[in-house]
Amino acid sequence: MVTQQLRASGIEDTLVLDAMSRIPREWFVPAELIESAYDDRALKIDCGQTISQPYIVARMSELLELRPTDRVLEIGAGSGYQTAVLATIAARVYSIERIAALAEVATKRLNALGLRNVDMHVGDGSLGWPEHAPYDAIIVTAGAPSVPQTLIDQLAEGGRLVAPVGELRDQHLIRLRRTGGRIAREDLLPCRFVPLIGEKG
Ligand code: SAH
């Protein structure tokens, strides 16, 4: 998957490529979809949610410009696959998932992989996790019309936030970066995520 799909589609960050070559995606998909685990597409998981397409996981991770000392906030753990990629690269990952059953299964998978640097919380990620803020990187893996200001407020100086924004069928990835107290915005590629459901979603 890494050589044939990710490198070929322009992913260059070696930390991301190494992490994704080490994490077995088949652990994160439902048993009946194991044959499709390495296809470059999103797949259905429990509770009407999806595990993101590997290219999107790689691209979002690369856009976060992760360093091994970074503290990361993730909204929407879902299967836990993106969480595992983040936790392999960064120092600590704080992840919020609104569906308890998904958070529980994701935590079991992360433990089985020996990834002990993840704090998983069941709740509304649209409010962020102020207790551990500020974060060097914030990733939102569910779509909303705009990025909740509460999340932007939890971004450290120099921090990056990557999120899908837009309507249900017309979203694109954006990256925000806090520099010198200013927030710069870049509009990147089209994408489609399940909705961010929450107070600020
Ligand atoms: N990165 C995940 C994507 C899962 S889909 C993966 O590849 O497996 C998006 C997830 O966001 C779903 O599990 C959904 O339950 C969760 N979600 C939606 N709104 C949320 C919110 N306000 N807070 C936390 N999680 C949320």
Side-chain angles (χ1 to χ4, degrees):
M1 177 176 85
V2 165
T3 315
Q4 291 179 4
Q5 298 167 24
L6 303 180
R7 277 186 212 278
S9 45
I11 304 297
E12 291 176 351
D13 187 328
T14 51
L15 293 175
V16 173
L17 293 168
D18 286 353
M20 290 185 69
S21 61
R22 298 225 300 267
I23 299 160
R25 192 171 186 256
E26 75 263 20
W27 288 20
F28 294 84
V29 304
E32 65 276 16
L33 292 176
I34 278 205
E35 302 273 302
S36 310
Y38 293 95
D39 293 358
D40 196 14
R41 61 186 170 98
L43 298 171
K44 291 213 176 308
I45 58 171
D46 290 343
C47 310
Q49 306 303 317
T50 50
I51 173 171
S52 302
Q53 178 192 354
Y55 171 71
I56 290 289
V57 172
R59 190 70 196 276
M60 290 179 88
S61 305
E62 184 169 72
L63 287 167
L64 289 172
E65 298 177 0
L66 297 173
R67 293 296 160 262
T69 51
D70 281 354
R71 297 168 66 256
V72 183
L73 175 66
E74 177 189 45
I75 313 303
S79 68
Y81 180 68
Q82 172 80 72
T83 323
V85 175
L86 300 170
T88 300
I89 301 172
R92 185 128 219 119
V93 179
Y94 299 91
S95 184
I96 309 179
E97 169 54 56
R98 60 178 280 274
I99 302 177
L102 293 180
E104 194 183 318
V105 177
T107 301
K108 284 199 184 123
R109 291 168 175 155
L110 296 164
N111 287 339
L113 282 171
L115 294 167
R116 307 271 172 213
N117 56 338
V118 179
D119 288 309
M120 183 77 68
H121 172 67
V122 176
D124 180 3
S126 72
L127 304 170
W129 197 340
E131 287 87 339
H132 302 290
Y135 302 96
D136 303 298
I138 300 179
I139 178 170
V140 186
T141 66
S146 62
V147 179
Q149 184 61 41
T150 39
L151 294 183
I152 301 174
D153 291 343
Q154 293 174 31
L155 205 51
E157 173 60 26
R160 295 80 55 200
L161 182 154
V162 174
V165 294
E167 303 309 319
L168 208 51
R169 282 168 210 294
D170 180 23
Q171 301 171 0
H172 52 276
L173 278 185
I174 65 153
R175 174 167 60 185
L176 305 180
R177 187 188 300 270
R178 183 187 292 280
T179 357
R182 275 190 59 243
I183 301 289
R185 171 177 168 146
E186 293 162 274
D187 283 45
L188 303 154
L189 53 152
C191 60
R192 190 186 288 188
F193 281 80
V194 297
L196 181 74
I197 299 170
E199 200 179 313
K200 311 278 178 188

